Amino acid sequence: MSQAFRVDGGLLDRNRPLGFRFNGKRLRGYSGDTLASALLANGVRLVGRSFKYHRPRGIFSAGPEEPNALVTVGRGAEAEPNTSATVTELFDGLEARSQNHRGPLGFDLMAVNDLIAPFLGPGFYYKTFMWPRAAWERVYEPLIRRAAGLGALSGQADPGLYDKGYRHCDVLVIGAGPAGLAAALAAGQAGASVILADEDFRPGGRLLAQRQEIDGQAGAGWAQAAWDELSGFDNVRLMLRTTVFGVYDHGICGALERTAPGSGRDKPRQILWRLYARRTVLCAGATERPLVFPGNDRPGVMLAGAVQAYASRWAVAAGRRVAVLANHDDATGLAEDLRSQGMEVARVIAAHAGQGIRATHGRKSLRAITQHDGRRIDCDCLAVSGGWSPNLQLTCHHDGRPQWREELQAFVPGPNLPPGMSVAGAANGSFGLKDCLAQGHAAGRAAAEAAGFKPTTATHAAPNSHDVPSPIWAAEPADGRAFVDLQNDVTAKDITLAHREGFSAIEHLKRYTTLGMATDQGKTSNLLGLALLSQLTGRTIPETGTTRARPPYTPVSIGAFAGRERGRGFQPTRLTPAHDWAAQRGASFVESGLWLRARWFPLPGESGWRDSVDREVRQTRSAVGICDVSTLGKIDIRGRDATEFVNFVYCNGFAKLPVGKVRYGLMLREDGLAMDDGTCARLAENHYVMTTTTANAVAVFRHLEFVRQCLKPHWDVHLVPETDGWAQFAVAGPRARDLIARLVDAPFDMSNDAFPFMACAEVTIGGSHARLFRISFSGELAYEIAVPARFGNSLAEILMEAGQDLGVVPYGIEALDVMRLEKGHPSGNELNGQTGAAQLGMASMASLKKDYVGRGRLGVSHVDGARDVRLVGVRPVNLRDPLFSGAHILAPGAKSSLENDQGWMSSVCFSPHLGHHVGLAFVRDGTDRLGERLRAVDLVRGTDIDIELVSAQFFDPEGVRLRV
Amino acid sequence: MLIPHPTLGPRDAEEFIYMGDARLLERPDGEAEGANAAFADYLYLRDNPAGRHRELWYHQDGDQSWLVVTRDTRTHEIVEVVLAREVALTAGAPA
């Protein structure tokens, strides 16, 4: 019979029946069900197998504290393991599977673990499975790993959409139970902007589970009316299905919102919210704790409040014949509630009156219990209550410690709350309904007042009864398999064992037994474990203390933290202004930081990248080539003190640089090591344009601003980052002047006398503002031409068209790198944070006649093993051998060791000009050892190549071509 | 964390780059006698207090101002935020 355990009433929409599947079986429920309530309605008691011992387990609770009913929802790439059935909103077509069993759920082959339980106590892997040693990594550990666990990921990319959002408010109210609703009403009515968030898909909290009246109205009805009133306020934002999982600094909270099922695939399934609140009111309610007794983990043993919730809210009889075990008198009211819903209550066992449970019976489903006096009671559900613990985890996220209240037998929030937070209701240790409403109201008022608003007063009529539980945690005797942490299979005996072995501090107990370390974070077990430990050690509960609560309060999927920052969205892609032109020419692109840069431009018939790069180099050196260098940083420097400024940030002299000239600059860090290099052009008396490497553009600008604002605030100098503002092309080769002359508007004298090597000028191209720099990274006669970025693409096209009869070729950064290497120019590989001016062969550039960044530690600061290295050129002895960057330099016959390490190869390439590989290397005293034969040893690639140290000037060492 | 920018109001800390101890504002003279030792001190020695700490933050994703923030390293309470330029000017850097 369908839904055999469904009773009358409940907060369901019976006009919207839903179909779902559990382990392949088709079942039915209603809109308003959770997966757990629908399973119970259909009489499904067995929902999983426990973590270690693979014991049959059933639904234990009705909330996020659920330790047992973890299922995998969805299939294929959408499968989400370890989903609590108790908080999963039922939707039509939901598919769920149980976890952690080999073979069917009802006949788990791994249940054999339960039989060898004595060998699987806490820390067992330190005491067993020790011999032989080799077997641990290859045999035991993989077996153990496979034998225990929760669900499994699909291994496929998560197809879900996730998003992130930011919201601001005066008052954030966490929890929409009676206290939270009262707080939100008070603050909202006062005019404060309010966000009210609840993890559930209905407001009301415990009002939905218990039958209490507020102002003469049924609690659930009152909650809905309050919610409706709040939704009418413009200044109140309501967020259901939203768990506030962490409290961060300065009133910032992290929250996870789950979208209602059936919202459509184009909506994000989860949203990670950053909530900025001036005041926060925590009304998170309380979680019930069970008691410890033998056999307390059978399917059918449940939290009493959950049995009540299933009956009241979901119209489900968790059992036909229920027994109740509690250590307080509220159990009587509960029993009446259940009876009124048509359940038979076989017995109420009062642990505070010395009664208890000795054993339970029924392996896959509870059948009976045996009381302390030996009497056997038939029942199919045992509702257990050991009292309630305030949900105060969020109050501890700022290192606050809860305090024990003996008169409540519970921990309540301590005095050190996160700044701006107050607590109200059951979360504050006030369990009476009237108190909850009053406290919530008062807290909402106070928060609104603190935010500068004027609230009014309101009161509610409601019952206020609550019986404090007795300090009884376990039903004696606690032998047999009495479980404390259900999810991690930690028993009372494990706690005794841990204590005996010396793990008696609460944080040690947690880690040694794994109590409280599962996905439920010990919500129903921490206090029990703590209490049992205190009994063993003879310390009081406050003396024993609690473990530290940290965010997140409930699990948050990685997808939510990623939001849209996945795949291409992880980082922005920066395209140069001439990107389209390069793409149309078939360029092969490479990621250079965030940029896409063309590395070569292959032509049909070329068999590989070497063909393309060698061709680009040859043609540039024999005719003319153009290369997009827009990605290099550009910084505009102006002001009366611009010259002083430039002179302070570079180690070499800039004070006498004439207007219309460019100079290479080496920028050091304050510790004397090289930070960056580039060129600096003086366009006017008080106007410089500095270039940086692509990778360091942002960091150098930051550094310059530090100098300007923090070190030299009295200087008149202003900086503008212009990397994105200009498109810049290198034009290099013997015909470079011819090509440039065809572009630059007349009159402009491009002769070698008028515009020599290292000159610069502002020019126009087709009437547009442009800048021309005669600088050369390639060692050829070369220029760099800069135009406003929006003209970058057409500049490339114009250069190609104008240069056609000159034999112009586009070249990418590989060819660029080959040519600079042939000239011995250092680049990113050489400026790696380990090298200073001396190592780079630029010691004479580091001025001793001025103060500048790096002057103070010049020549003194070095990296171990890199002080005496000097940059030199390298060629293989056998000219057909390749070279590898990263190889280390060793003497012939020397053993590969740190002591014998003489340096490293920093850059290599094939030189088309020479017809063999060449490299740059940092070698100990390298410049004094030219001609010496050494070895380049690469232990990663397994190569050992004989090399000779040579001058790094492989091409045109006199620099003749530069100056024609 | 929120940084109350002196001219822009409260901004999320994710807009900033953290540089560390504000003693970096007190740069020694690179040419003076004993500069090596003075700079070693400047670069490498820190008090690292459990309590109020004067430190430098750079508003990279905002107005690119450098700020001197006084923050309690235990509680993250931010006590004071001043433009670093003002601090440096007041300290009277040599011309």
Side-chain angles (χ1 to χ4, degrees):
Chain A
M1 189 178 108
S2 167
Q3 301 192 60
F5 288 80
R6 189 73 78 181
V7 296
D8 289 332
L11 303 169
L12 302 167
D13 186 352
R14 299 198 193 229
N15 292 323
R16 293 186 51 215
L18 306 171
F20 68 103
R21 279 186 196 263
F22 180 64
N23 283 345
K25 186 164 176 214
R26 277 213 180 95
L27 300 166
R28 301 196 71 73
Y30 293 109
S31 171
D33 263 327
T34 59
L35 175 58
S37 65
L39 285 170
L40 287 170
N42 284 276
V44 176
R45 322 300 286 315
L46 179 61
V47 293
R49 290 279 176 166
S50 72
F51 178 68
K52 213 173 12 174
Y53 303 123
H54 289 254
R55 290 168 68 86
R57 290 285 170 80
I59 293 160
F60 186 71
S61 75
E65 65 271 23
E66 177 60 32
N68 285 341
L70 300 183
V71 298
T72 298
V73 175
R75 39 158 74 219
E78 288 176 343
E80 192 167 12
N82 302 341
T83 309
S84 280
T86 53
V87 297
T88 301
E89 211 172 334
L90 193 72
F91 58 90
D92 201 51
L94 183 153
E95 289 192 41
R97 300 199 148 299
S98 54
Q99 301 177 157
N100 197 32
H101 49 94
R102 205 89 34 101
L105 176 60
F107 194 72
D108 181 9
L109 297 170
M110 295 308 298
V112 65
N113 284 9
D114 206 21
L115 300 174
I116 58 166
F119 297 104
L120 300 177
F124 72 90
Y125 31 82
Y126 298 117
K127 304 166 195 162
T128 52
F129 302 100
M130 306 287 273
W131 183 89
R133 265 184 76 130
W136 171 255
E137 208 172 304
R138 252 167 285 161
V139 180
Y140 301 139
E141 203 253 3
L143 272 179
I144 291 168
R145 208 170 263 289
R146 275 204 294 275
L150 301 175
L153 292 171
S154 70
Q156 301 177 50
D158 186 342
L161 264 180
Y162 299 84
D163 214 341
K164 289 186 184 174
Y166 299 77
R167 282 196 173 140
H168 300 253
C169 62
D170 296 316
V171 181
L172 169 65
V173 179
I174 301 171
L181 288 165
L185 280 168
Q189 279 158 359
S193 62
V194 177
I195 293 175
L196 173 61
D198 194 292
E199 63 191 357
D200 208 335
F201 54 90
R202 275 191 89 110
R206 278 305 291 177
L207 292 174
L208 305 178
Q210 289 170 213
R211 292 150 173 259
Q212 288 169 303
E213 288 197 345
I214 301 174
D215 297 336
Q217 199 181 3
W222 180 89
Q224 191 58 52
W227 188 259
D228 291 340
E229 185 181 344
L230 285 164
S231 57
F233 288 127
D234 285 334
N235 54 321
V236 175
R237 188 183 284 277
L238 301 172
M239 300 179 76
L240 286 175
R241 302 179 183 85
T242 303
T243 306
V244 178
F245 60 77
V247 180
Y248 301 95
D249 289 312
H250 305 159
I252 300 174
C253 284
L256 182 72
E257 178 183 0
R258 293 163 292 279
T259 318
S263 296
R265 293 249 162 127
D266 55 336
K267 289 270 191 310
R269 60 184 294 261
Q270 290 179 9
I271 302 172
L272 190 77
W273 289 101
R274 193 180 286 214
L275 304 175
Y276 299 85
R278 291 164 66 191
R279 288 290 184 277
T280 307
V281 184
L282 181 67
C283 305
T287 297
E288 196 170 28
R289 55 215 188 209
L291 293 166
V292 178
F293 53 90
N296 62 341
D297 72 320
R298 290 195 199 283
V301 178
M302 300 173 64
L303 287 172
V307 177
Q308 192 179 25
Y310 284 119
S312 297
R313 177 174 172 182
W314 287 293
V316 170
R320 295 206 200 286
R321 196 158 195 269
V322 181
V324 178
L325 168 70
N327 61 359
H328 55 81
D329 284 328
D330 282 342
T332 338
L334 167 79
E336 279 165 27
D337 251 1
L338 298 179
R339 283 190 188 104
S340 70
Q341 284 285 98
M343 288 184 271
E344 188 189 340
V345 177
R347 169 152 260 112
V348 176
I349 301 162
H352 53 305
Q355 300 166 4
I357 293 179
R358 194 188 287 178
T360 63
H361 311 279
R363 180 148 172 82
K364 286 189 225 163
S365 185
L366 187 70
R367 281 184 287 109
I369 59 174
T370 300
Q371 278 188 169
H372 59 289
D373 58 7
R375 267 194 295 171
R376 190 179 161 108
I377 299 166
D378 289 337
C379 56
D380 59 351
C381 175
L382 175 62
V384 183
S385 179
W388 292 78
S389 293
N391 293 330
L392 44 65
Q393 288 87 339
L394 263 54
T395 65
C396 300
H397 287 174
H398 279 216
D399 204 24
R401 291 294 181 159
Q403 54 190 23
W404 177 253
R405 296 271 286 281
E406 188 69 27
E407 75 278 13
L408 292 176
Q409 285 297 298
F411 278 100
V412 300
N416 292 337
L417 296 172
M421 178 181 281
S422 60
V423 193
N428 204 26
S430 300
F431 300 105
L433 179 54
K434 191 174 165 71
D435 285 343
C436 285
L437 292 163
Q439 273 195 14
H441 177 81
R445 281 195 58 184
E449 249 171 342
F453 296 87
K454 286 204 172 307
T456 51
T457 325
T459 52
H460 301 282
N464 213 29
S465 69
H466 170 74
D467 192 46
V468 178
S470 302
I472 287 159
W473 311 97
E476 304 300 334
D479 33 64
R481 308 288 289 289
F483 284 84
V484 181
D485 184 326
L486 288 167
Q487 195 169 132
N488 266 356
D489 266 349
V490 179
T491 61
K493 196 162 159 225
D494 292 338
I495 294 173
T496 310
L497 182 72
H499 166 66
R500 197 158 70 228
E501 295 190 16
F503 296 95
S504 310
I506 189 68
E507 296 278 11
H508 287 165
L509 174 74
K510 169 181 174 178
R511 282 140 182 99
Y512 193 61
T513 61
T514 76
L515 166 81
M517 292 179 70
T519 68
D520 64 339
Q521 290 287 283
K523 289 180 173 62
T524 55
S525 57
N526 281 340
L527 184 54
L528 295 178
L530 197 166
L532 291 176
L533 181 66
S534 90
Q535 283 172 355
L536 287 165
T537 58
R539 297 197 294 259
T540 64
I541 285 179
E543 280 170 346
T544 306
T546 57
T547 55
R548 192 182 292 247
R550 298 182 175 90
Y553 171 67
T554 47
V556 179
S557 63
I558 299 292
F561 284 116
R564 289 175 187 262
E565 292 153 75
R566 297 166 56 181
R568 311 229 89 205
F570 182 67
Q571 281 180 320
T573 305
R574 298 177 79 176
L575 304 178
T576 72
H579 178 89
D580 286 345
W581 161 82
Q584 274 158 27
R585 295 196 78 94
S588 173
F589 291 96
V590 68
E591 285 176 2
S592 184
L594 299 179
W595 294 99
L596 282 184
R597 302 190 71 181
R599 44 186 185 173
W600 54 78
F601 293 79
L603 289 180
E606 288 182 330
S607 61
W609 64 271
R610 273 281 308 279
D611 287 351
S612 312
V613 173
D614 291 354
R615 169 182 53 77
E616 289 171 14
V617 171
R618 284 198 191 95
Q619 196 157 339
T620 300
R621 291 211 186 283
S622 61
V624 57
I626 66 167
C627 182
D628 189 345
V629 293
S630 305
T631 63
L632 275 70
K634 307 170 201 69
I635 301 170
D636 194 275
I637 304 168
R638 299 189 203 217
R640 286 186 300 274
D641 296 309
T643 305
E644 283 244 53
F645 184 84
V646 171
N647 208 32
F648 183 74
V649 298
Y650 283 126
C651 72
N652 52 318
F654 271 81
K656 301 212 182 88
L657 183 67
V659 172
K661 286 293 204 282
V662 194
R663 183 167 293 168
Y664 172 79
L666 179 66
M667 195 175 285
L668 303 180
R669 305 186 322 208
E670 209 66 273
D671 65 2
L673 297 182
M675 182 201 303
D676 199 56
D677 70 350
T679 59
C680 198
R682 189 173 193 177
L683 292 178
E685 169 138 7
N686 292 332
H687 182 196
Y688 292 80
V689 172
M690 174 191 286
T691 69
T692 77
T693 61
T694 298
N696 287 334
V698 171
V700 169
F701 184 78
R702 178 165 68 237
H703 169 66
L704 295 188
E705 281 292 349
F706 177 76
V707 171
R708 186 182 80 86
Q709 296 177 39
C710 302
L711 299 183
K712 305 291 180 188
H714 50 288
W715 280 353
D716 176 57
V717 60
H718 303 273
L719 311 173
V720 181
E722 294 196 328
T723 308
D724 296 326
W726 294 91
Q728 192 147 334
F729 267 79
V731 179
R735 297 182 194 152
R737 178 181 285 116
D738 300 332
L739 179 51
I740 295 282
R742 292 177 183 185
L743 263 68
V744 175
D745 292 340
F748 185 73
D749 192 345
M750 288 215 38
S751 67
N752 199 22
D753 290 331
F755 199 69
F757 180 55
M758 299 309 272
C760 63
E762 295 190 90
V763 298
T764 64
I765 293 184
S768 160
H769 189 33
R771 289 169 175 170
L772 188 65
F773 309 90
R774 188 167 158 191
I775 50 179
S776 178
F777 200 39
S778 56
E780 294 301 313
L781 163 65
Y783 302 79
E784 286 192 15
I785 180 95
V787 296
R790 65 191 180 280
F791 297 136
N793 209 64
S794 49
L795 174 67
E797 285 167 355
I798 291 168
L799 282 167
M800 289 302 296
E801 196 188 312
Q804 223 177 2
D805 63 308
L806 299 173
V808 69
V809 65
Y811 67 94
I813 56 172
E814 283 298 324
L816 179 112
D817 200 40
V818 168
M819 289 191 280
R820 70 96 191 170
L821 212 163
E822 287 178 326
K823 292 295 294 181
H825 290 315
S827 133
N829 292 1
E830 287 71 41
L831 272 64
N832 68 346
Q834 293 180 309
T835 57
Q839 288 77 17
L840 291 164
M842 299 184 193
S844 56
M845 274 179 67
S847 169
L848 296 170
K849 297 202 189 109
K850 58 165 181 168
D851 190 13
Y852 51 90
V853 175
R855 176 82 168 85
R857 294 287 293 172
L858 197 62
V860 179
S861 222
H862 63 272
V863 169
D864 273 353
R867 184 184 57 191
D868 301 322
V869 298
R870 296 292 179 266
L871 187 64
V872 288
V874 168
R875 73 155 171 249
V877 170
N878 178 346
L879 295 180
R880 278 206 278 271
D881 278 345
L883 292 175
F884 298 100
S885 62
H888 278 258
I889 314 299
L890 293 164
K895 183 166 157 251
S896 301
S897 71
L898 220 47
E899 296 79 45
N900 294 335
D901 188 8
Q902 303 220 19
W904 72 94
M905 189 96 71
S906 57
S907 301
V908 303
C909 72
F910 178 84
S911 165
H913 160 73
L914 294 171
H916 59 78
H917 275 78
V918 295
L920 297 176
F922 288 95
V923 182
R924 208 178 288 162
D925 302 320
T927 37
D928 296 333
R929 299 165 70 181
L930 299 189
E932 192 173 325
R933 292 201 170 179
L934 295 163
R935 291 150 59 216
V937 178
D938 186 336
L939 294 177
V940 172
R941 296 184 182 93
T943 58
D944 188 332
I945 293 169
D946 291 330
I947 57 167
E948 184 183 333
L949 301 187
V950 296
S951 158
Q953 298 292 309
F954 296 99
F955 183 84
D956 183 27
E958 310 297 309
V960 170
R961 298 167 78 93
L962 286 170
R963 294 180 166 80
V964 303
Chain B
M1 201 159 71
L2 293 176
I3 311 256
H5 193 290
T7 52
L8 300 176
R11 309 298 310 177
D12 197 300
E14 63 179 8
E15 295 179 4
F16 295 80
I17 303 258
Y18 174 73
M19 210 228 209
D21 198 319
R23 75 163 299 189
L24 286 167
L25 294 171
E26 296 141 37
R27 182 181 179 275
D29 180 352
E31 289 187 281
E33 185 93 6
N36 281 342
F39 269 90
D41 210 294
Y42 170 76
L43 287 168
Y44 304 122
L45 295 188
R46 296 287 178 265
D47 287 335
N48 197 27
R52 290 196 176 176
H53 185 234
R54 270 178 90 242
E55 54 195 28
L56 287 160
W57 289 78
Y58 175 66
H59 200 190
Q60 171 132 318
D61 293 338
D63 70 341
Q64 281 137 19
S65 59
W66 280 94
L67 304 177
V68 177
V69 176
T70 305
R71 176 180 65 99
D72 189 316
T73 56
R74 292 164 308 186
T75 63
H76 293 185
E77 183 197 358
I78 290 179
V79 172
E80 193 190 27
V81 183
V82 190
L83 288 175
R85 188 158 185 274
E86 279 170 20
V87 175
L89 278 170
T90 316

